[in-house]
Amino acid sequence: MTEHIVKQFDEDLKSLSEMIAEMGGLAEKLVAESIAALLKRDINGAQRIIATDRVIDRLQHQIEEKAVLTIAKRQPMAVDLREIVAALRVSNDLERIGDLAKNIAKRVIAIEGQLQPPKIAGGVDHMGELVLAQLKKVLDAYSGRDAGKALEVWQRDGEIDALYTSLFRELLTYMMEDPRNIGFSTHLLFCAKNVERIGDHATNIAETINYLVTGEMLTDERPKQDLTSTLAFGGAQ
Amino acid sequence: MTEHIVKQFDEDLKSLSEMIAEMGGLAEKLVAESIAALLKRDINGAQRIIATDRVIDRLQHQIEEKAVLTIAKRQPMAVDLREIVAALRVSNDLERIGDLAKNIAKRVIAIEGQLQPPKIAGGVDHMGELVLAQLKKVLDAYSGRDAGKALEVWQRDGEIDALYTSLFRELLTYMMEDPRNIGFSTHLLFCAKNVERIGDHATNIAETINYLVTGEMLTDERPKQDLTSTLAFGGAQ
């Protein structure tokens, strides 16, 4: 590439990174707010989250467009292409994280006024804190191109899964105790599942960072997975 | 572009389309098999599905690589870029469809041996048929670049959402009738939600086809959405 083209390309990459940073900040904010809204039963907050999710969707399309135009105009080679593929993948995961936060917000509105048992609220709170820490760390790892930090995120996803499995069991027990808890607990079950999936997307981003830095995919199976889909709950336990 | 480059580019596009067709066929097969495995309680079938999902994941990465290299090598303009962006988006949705089918398969294994009420099996069956019809149609629309057919898929997604909402209510009622139904019904609830989400991805593909053919995004809100996340179920109903 000529010096001029190299400079333009660097500017394109910088602007892509800035867009991802903006999107990441927004996704983080939506996740924090959706969990807070769930714990505080904050209907107004929930409605704000639902409206803000569109901004994330728009950002994703802008990043996609910018990425593709950058490739077409600058014809980058290997390592630079990875930068752009990574931007596409990360923006895709962030868009899904925004969607999941929005879905939690919708359920906050649905369960308005219903009692929340303190033990379960505590479980959601704990999962939320962990997933937010993972999300923050992986976004830092992305902006610092830090494969080591990304690997830490990747390795810690199992903790979120374990918390989810324990919350899943508690919610089922709670449903069995009194049929009046079923409707409400079902919404919480989906909320907890959404938080767990946000953790999965943070792990996807960690994999993308590793690919970006090393050029290789993490081929090992992930450390742990959500096990609840394989738990055979008999009715009587 | 020179004639030589145009020809190479056309070959790249053709090969991308073939990869998408292969991936689409596989996704369709996994969805059909996962629903059949759920209805027949076919553990072996479920295990096969879980193994096959990796093939889809691999195909997605190959398509991404091919798409990005094609852009970098051929520097296509506007309408041709859309072809490639569309391939990226469609492969992304197909990968998620494969994941959802795999998740259904895992739950088939989890609920092994537990009784399934005929009414609910009927509901899952009906939803499955509809979602498979949508998936087949949208893949046809993609290979034929048929925006009209894509729009039909987009408009019919509300039917799947309505079926899901009705199944959701039935499962909740069933759980309330007897606490022993709760564990098992929870898995079915997630299965039904997964089928509904497969329908959402078919709708995403329809939107991508519309963008591919017309260059514009469908900006209207979707006809209907899954309403269960906004349903306030009191315990007593």
Side-chain angles (χ1 to χ4, degrees), chain A residues 15-203:
Chain A
S15 122
L16 262 180
S17 278
E18 283 165 1
M19 286 160 97
I20 296 269
E22 183 186 351
M23 204 179 167
L26 208 52
E28 213 180 319
K29 186 166 168 275
L30 286 194
V31 173
E33 287 180 355
S34 68
I35 293 166
L38 181 62
L39 293 170
K40 291 184 208 151
R41 305 311 181 80
D42 175 3
I43 305 292
N44 291 335
Q47 277 158 343
R48 245 185 348 258
I49 292 159
I50 294 167
T52 312
D53 179 55
R54 293 196 188 181
V55 183
I56 290 203
D57 292 350
R58 224 164 21 232
L59 267 168
Q60 193 211 359
H61 277 116
Q62 284 166 5
I63 288 170
E64 193 178 57
E65 208 167 291
K66 175 87 188 168
V68 165
L69 279 175
T70 302
I71 305 174
K73 281 193 299 185
R74 318 280 181 228
Q75 293 185 281
M77 296 312 290
V79 63
D80 292 327
L81 265 183
R82 283 214 303 271
E83 277 285 343
I84 298 175
V85 170
L88 282 171
R89 287 191 194 160
V90 171
S91 72
N92 194 44
D93 281 302
L94 291 174
E95 188 270 331
R96 310 246 35 252
I97 289 173
D99 261 3
L100 292 163
K102 182 175 75 174
N103 191 272
I104 293 173
K106 283 187 184 169
R107 294 182 190 275
V108 171
I109 297 170
I111 59 181
E112 186 182 5
Q114 293 183 57
L115 190 77
Q116 185 159 294
K119 195 177 172 192
I120 284 167
V124 172
D125 195 15
H126 192 175
M127 255 187 103
E129 275 173 21
L130 197 54
V131 92
L132 273 169
Q134 289 276 86
L135 188 52
K136 193 184 174 315
K137 194 168 190 173
V138 87
L139 290 169
D140 285 351
Y142 180 74
S143 65
R145 303 291 183 268
D146 185 340
K149 197 179 259 186
L151 193 64
E152 286 172 34
V153 170
W154 193 77
Q155 284 164 337
R156 282 198 74 180
D157 187 52
E159 287 181 42
I160 296 175
D161 294 343
L163 279 174
Y164 169 65
T165 302
S166 132
L167 198 56
F168 181 92
R169 284 179 187 274
E170 266 173 38
L171 279 165
L172 252 58
T173 306
Y174 184 64
M175 286 156 100
M176 286 172 195
E177 277 168 16
D178 187 339
R180 284 172 300 181
N181 295 335
I182 289 177
F184 162 71
S185 303
T186 301
H187 283 304
L188 276 188
L189 213 52
F190 277 109
C191 286
K193 181 71 195 167
N194 287 347
V195 175
E196 186 265 335
R197 285 170 58 207
I198 291 170
D200 283 346
H201 287 289
T203 313

Side-chain angles (χ1 to χ4, degrees), chain A residues 64 89 96 187 197 231, chain B residues 64 89 96 187 197:
Chain A
E64 193 178 57
R89 287 191 194 160
R96 310 246 35 252
H187 283 304
R197 285 170 58 207
L231 288 178
Chain B
E64 194 178 57
R89 288 191 191 158
R96 311 249 30 255
H187 283 304
R197 284 170 59 208

Side-chain angles (χ1 to χ4, degrees), chain A residues 164-166 168-169 172 226-234 237, chain B residues 106-107 109-112 114 183-184 187:
Chain A
Y164 169 65
T165 302
S166 132
F168 181 92
R169 284 179 187 274
L172 252 58
D226 155 27
L227 294 175
T228 61
S229 65
T230 60
L231 288 178
F233 284 90
Q237 66 179 315
Chain B
K106 283 188 184 171
R107 294 182 190 275
I109 296 170
I111 58 181
E112 186 182 4
Q114 294 183 57
F184 162 72
H187 283 304

Side-chain angles (χ1 to χ4, degrees), chain B residues 20-41:
Chain B
I20 296 268
E22 183 186 350
M23 203 180 167
L26 208 50
E28 212 180 320
K29 184 165 169 277
L30 286 194
V31 173
E33 287 180 355
S34 68
I35 293 167
L38 180 62
L39 292 170
K40 290 185 210 151
R41 304 310 179 83

